[in-house]
Amino acid sequence: MSKPTNTDDLHATTRGVLAGRRAEWTGTPDHPGAVVNPPVWRASTHLYPEMAALRAHPANQDGNFYYGRRGGPTQWALAEALTELEPGAAGTVLYPSGVAAIAGVLLTVLRPGDVLLMTDNAYEPSRAMGRGLLKDFGIETRWFDPTSPSSFEAGCCERTKAVLLESPGSLTMEVQDVPALAAAAKARGIVSILDNTWASAIGFAALRHGVDITVMSLTKHVSGHSDCMMGSASAGADWYRKLRLRAQGLGNVVSPDDASLMLRGLRTMKLRLDAETASALAIAQWLESRPEVARVLCPMLPGSPGHDLWLRDFTGGCGLFSFVLKRGTSAARDALIDALDLFGIGYSWGGFESLATPVDPAPIRTASAWPLAAMEPSDAFGIRLSIGLEHTADLIADLEQALAVWAAYGEVA
Ligand SMILES: *Cc1c(COP(=O)(O)O)cnc(C)c1O
């Protein structure tokens, strides 16, 4: 199969089918018997036919056989597919997890003495990096209110080197004005990094919106099957090169078996995202109509915080959103989650199966109140749902009976 020359003109679904399937990775050129998917090339050692070939080998050229830690065709195919899905990207680096990707990017961009600005609704392990890993290396982290440009400006100083954005943010789902924040960062010479795990490149074209480096936990939607972990960072040529060299220096490598699973997930990601998004919106609308529910935090839901920015900037949604119960207790919320039959209780999200977890972000925040802390009643308890591929009506029926268990817990005034 010859590779189309300008895949940027094709729709995301088409690119998702074609990407990363170079003839030299899926067959033996000029011989019949090519396969559809790049096979799993398991290797630590790549052999050279003779000494002259070893001596002639270009030092650290991207995408060339060298040694297993630099990857092989299976990993290159996944990286190339992700690059093709991210308009404006020159390359993609793979990491063993999403957290490893965030750490790899921050350790590429930041130096001792630098300041990192981080959105206050960032994924908790990202926050922990600011408090621990980065602090230990002499890098200071400051947090800013995700939806306040003035909080971002106030957090900047002459030592600010990078900003870590996440939109919608973990747990509370505020959508950030990423184009405005990325432009403000650029004007100050600050590198902008986005955790784009929620929308993925299919739902939000990060680099096209001005971001310098975009990160995804592939564990979520690219895998889509809750059986594999990986992370990625995509960027333009300058940052891509620096990220690749730093990742090599840190010894980051992903297994070809896992890369093959990720490629398999990637082929159906757009369909899964579309199905989940439609189901999540219907469930969010149903929850909004329920007397037990104080507030639904879902960017796709009209009237929800961030909906206008989501409409303006995004080309898709996903099945992850949160809602807040009226009053109640932590125990009543536990009873609700325990009563759910179709929702698993567990971390992660973006798989084909639905999940529910409790959400209590207020104690985590440092630069902004959880928007709901100001809400009446102040003792609201949140639940985060990851909507999978079960039928929407079945999920709603399950939530309905679990809400009845919650109400019967005796905590509703
Ligand atoms: C899960 C997640 C990560 C980390 O990914 P892992 O693959 O679990 O390490 C990073 N950011 C967000 C927003 C996530 O939800």
Side-chain angles (χ1 to χ4, degrees):
M1 186 177 73
S2 66
K3 205 158 100 47
T5 43
N6 191 358
T7 52
D8 277 5
D9 292 341
L10 298 169
H11 292 90
T13 28
T14 311
R15 279 187 280 137
V17 169
L18 299 176
R21 291 171 51 204
R22 287 199 208 180
E24 71 255 43
W25 296 337
T26 53
T28 313
D30 305 323
H31 293 279
V35 291
V36 173
N37 297 295
V40 176
W41 287 63
R42 290 204 186 95
S44 57
T45 302
H46 297 287
L47 299 171
Y48 298 85
E50 72 233 337
M51 274 309 298
L54 185 140
R55 297 226 185 276
H57 198 82
N60 198 3
Q61 201 180 56
D62 197 11
N64 256 29
F65 288 114
Y66 179 73
Y67 172 62
R69 214 186 305 110
R70 304 262 172 94
T74 323
Q75 295 97 323
W76 300 337
L78 174 61
E80 180 168 290
L82 292 168
T83 301
E84 288 194 22
L85 284 177
E86 182 69 55
T92 298
V93 179
L94 302 174
Y95 301 83
S97 69
V99 163
I102 294 165
V105 169
L106 294 175
L107 292 176
T108 304
V109 174
L110 297 162
R111 297 289 175 274
D114 288 345
V115 173
L116 169 69
L117 266 178
M118 191 185 293
T119 181
D120 205 22
N121 55 0
Y123 182 61
E124 171 52 27
S126 299
R127 292 184 71 96
M129 254 178 245
R131 295 190 305 265
L133 175 78
L134 298 180
K135 188 161 175 271
D136 290 350
F137 283 93
I139 296 155
E140 186 190 333
T141 302
R142 297 178 187 175
W143 281 269
F144 71 98
D145 183 339
T147 58
S148 161
S150 60
S151 174
F152 168 80
E153 295 289 340
C156 289
C157 68
E158 65 288 348
R159 289 189 295 125
T160 310
K161 181 70 191 299
V163 58
L164 179 64
L165 308 169
E166 188 181 314
S167 177
S170 278
L171 310 182
T172 42
M173 303 289 144
E174 298 101 323
V175 182
Q176 299 195 277
D177 192 340
V178 172
L181 289 166
K186 188 152 286 164
R188 289 172 173 271
I190 295 170
V191 182
S192 55
I193 304 159
L194 173 70
D195 183 334
N196 198 27
T197 302
W198 187 88
S200 85
I202 286 175
F204 182 75
L207 302 185
R208 282 281 184 262
H209 282 98
V211 169
D212 291 312
I213 301 171
T214 176
V215 176
M216 282 194 291
S217 166
L218 309 182
T219 308
K220 312 294 162 56
H221 278 110
V222 175
S223 157
H225 293 74
S226 308
D227 54 6
C228 187
M229 299 191 76
M230 207 178 286
S232 69
S234 303
D238 275 5
W239 280 116
Y240 167 62
R241 188 173 163 278
K242 290 175 185 157
L243 291 169
R244 180 170 73 84
L245 296 177
R246 180 52 45 100
Q248 282 176 9
L250 289 168
N252 283 308
V253 63
V254 305
S255 89
D257 300 73
D258 289 349
S260 176
L261 283 173
M262 287 298 174
L263 274 168
R264 169 171 285 216
L266 189 69
R267 303 302 176 199
T268 56
M269 181 163 81
K270 175 80 168 73
L271 288 176
R272 288 185 281 105
L273 281 170
D274 287 351
E276 274 177 28
T277 301
S279 191
L281 178 56
I283 292 167
Q285 274 162 337
W286 179 82
L287 283 168
E288 198 179 33
S289 74
R290 296 293 308 194
E292 302 92 340
V293 173
R295 188 124 172 218
V296 181
L297 302 168
C298 173
M300 293 96 74
L301 185 67
S304 200
H307 179 67
D308 292 345
L309 286 173
W310 179 76
L311 273 185
R312 187 191 74 186
D313 295 341
F314 287 63
T315 49
C318 99
L320 187 77
F321 71 94
S322 302
F323 68 96
V324 180
L325 293 157
K326 282 186 187 154
R327 280 168 260 196
T329 60
S330 182
R333 176 179 57 181
D334 286 358
L336 187 166
I337 295 175
D338 280 340
L340 290 166
D341 293 322
L342 299 179
F343 291 80
I345 304 170
Y347 294 112
S348 198
W349 49 278
F352 61 85
E353 83 294 3
S354 292
L355 294 172
T357 43
V359 168
D360 293 300
I364 302 171
R365 299 273 177 129
T366 52
S368 55
W370 188 28
L372 297 155
M375 275 178 47
E376 77 331 321
S378 56
D379 54 348
F381 289 96
I383 293 179
R384 188 178 77 168
L385 298 179
S386 175
I387 301 302
L389 301 178
E390 304 89 346
H391 197 287
T392 311
D394 292 338
L395 294 176
I396 288 177
D398 196 26
L399 285 163
E400 185 160 26
Q401 61 83 22
L403 283 171
V405 169
W406 176 84
Y409 206 81
E411 301 297 337
V412 186

